[in-house]
Amino acid sequence: LTAMKMWLFSIRKTVGHDPELDHSFDIVSEEMGRLESIVRNFLEFSRPPVLKLHPQCVSEVIDKTLELAYHQIEEKKIDLEYEAATGLPPVMADREQLKQVLINLLNNAVEATPEEGRIRVRANLEGDRQNGSMVVVRVQDSGSGIPEEVQRRVFEPFFTTKEQGTGLGLCIAAQIMGRHGGRLALESSTGQGTSFAVWIPAAGMENHEQDSRC
C-alpha cells in the first residue's frame, strides 16, 4: 500500500492537472485509504501495540479529538456540547491509543446523529469500587439508538451493521481500555440516542505532583 501511494503521487505529479484524471485519482486514493484502515484494524486486533504510558491530561486529548472531527460535525450542522469538570487529575495512558478510542466513539456518534442533531461530550471524576478514582469520558449522540439485539454484540470482533465496516472498531477500543486498567461501556441506547463511557484510572499521586490538575 505504501508503494502504491508513492506511485500514485508520482503519476499524479507527472500527468499534471486534468479534471477527469483528478477525479479518478481521488477515487483510487480514497479506496487505498479504506484498505489501509482495514489492514491497520486487523493488525491492531491480532497484535496490539505496546502501551506507552505517561501522565496525560484527558481534556487535552479530548480537545485534539474534537479538532480532528470538527469538519464532520460542522458539515452535518451538529450542535456539540462539551464540558470537562475542573480539577481533573491526570491519567496514566498512552495518548495516541486513548485518542484512537475517543475518535472511534466520536465518529460513530457523528454517523448516528441526524443533521442539526446534538452530541454531548462530558468528562468527570467518579469513584469505582475496584479501581478507585477514575476519569470518565461520556460521548452521547441524539440518534435513533442501537437495537436491543445489537447492543449485546457491539463489542464482539467482526460484528458490524455497516456495509463497509470491519466490526473491529469498538472491539479494539474496548481492548485498549482494558489494557489501560479501565473499560469501555455502552451505558444506554434508546430512541433518543446512545451513550458510551470511557473509564480511565486516575494516575497515582506518585506519578504526578500533589497539585497537578487538568
Side-chain angles (χ1 to χ4, degrees):
L1 283 170
T2 300
M4 290 167 64
K5 287 194 295 184
M6 292 174 64
W7 276 108
L8 181 64
F9 175 79
S10 177
I11 294 170
R12 196 167 193 170
K13 190 173 181 180
T14 302
V15 171
H17 179 67
D18 181 294
E20 187 174 342
L21 285 176
D22 282 345
H23 178 66
S24 298
F25 282 137
D26 288 339
I27 293 175
V28 173
S29 181
E30 287 177 9
E31 287 302 297
M32 287 169 59
R34 185 174 65 84
L35 288 171
E36 192 170 34
S37 177
I38 291 172
V39 171
R40 187 183 300 112
N41 279 341
F42 275 103
L43 287 174
E44 289 178 356
F45 174 71
S46 61
R47 188 182 58 194
V50 176
L51 289 177
K52 299 177 182 178
L53 298 176
H54 300 283
Q56 303 291 344
C57 184
V58 169
S59 58
E60 292 179 1
V61 181
I62 295 174
D63 287 340
K64 185 61 177 179
T65 304
L66 294 177
E67 182 181 334
L68 294 171
Y70 172 77
H71 293 293
Q72 290 176 280
I73 293 171
E74 185 181 46
E75 186 176 352
K76 293 186 72 172
K77 300 178 182 178
I78 292 172
D79 178 27
L80 175 67
E81 297 180 11
Y82 169 43
E83 181 181 341
T86 57
L88 288 175
V91 297
M92 287 300 291
D94 183 309
R95 186 183 185 89
E96 292 306 312
Q97 292 193 45
L98 178 57
K99 187 168 67 177
Q100 179 183 338
V101 171
L102 296 177
I103 288 174
N104 184 284
L105 293 180
L106 199 56
N107 283 342
N108 287 347
V110 171
E111 289 181 12
T113 302
E115 285 200 10
E116 300 184 0
R118 183 184 66 253
I119 291 177
R120 290 178 176 174
V121 180
R122 297 284 188 274
N124 294 288
L125 182 65
E126 299 185 19
D128 181 87
R129 291 181 179 179
Q130 293 183 332
N131 300 298
S133 296
M134 303 189 78
V135 175
V136 184
V137 181
R138 289 183 172 85
V139 179
Q140 182 180 16
D141 63 59
S142 61
S144 57
I146 302 173
E148 187 174 347
E149 63 273 15
V150 175
Q151 291 182 31
R152 297 190 294 268
R153 305 187 63 188
V154 292
F155 296 118
E156 288 183 16
F158 309 111
F159 175 77
T160 181
T161 58
K162 302 176 183 178
E163 289 186 6
Q164 294 188 341
T166 61
L168 289 174
L170 287 175
C171 174
I172 291 173
Q175 185 184 73
I176 289 173
M177 295 319 304
R179 294 171 65 225
H180 274 80
R183 64 182 183 273
L184 173 61
L186 170 61
E187 288 195 328
S188 64
S189 189
T190 66
Q192 283 72 49
T194 299
S195 177
F196 280 92
V198 181
W199 292 72
I200 320 155
M205 295 308 296
E206 70 277 6
N207 292 317
H208 59 87
E209 296 297 327
Q210 179 77 24
D211 59 351
S212 177
R213 290 292 184 271
C214 297

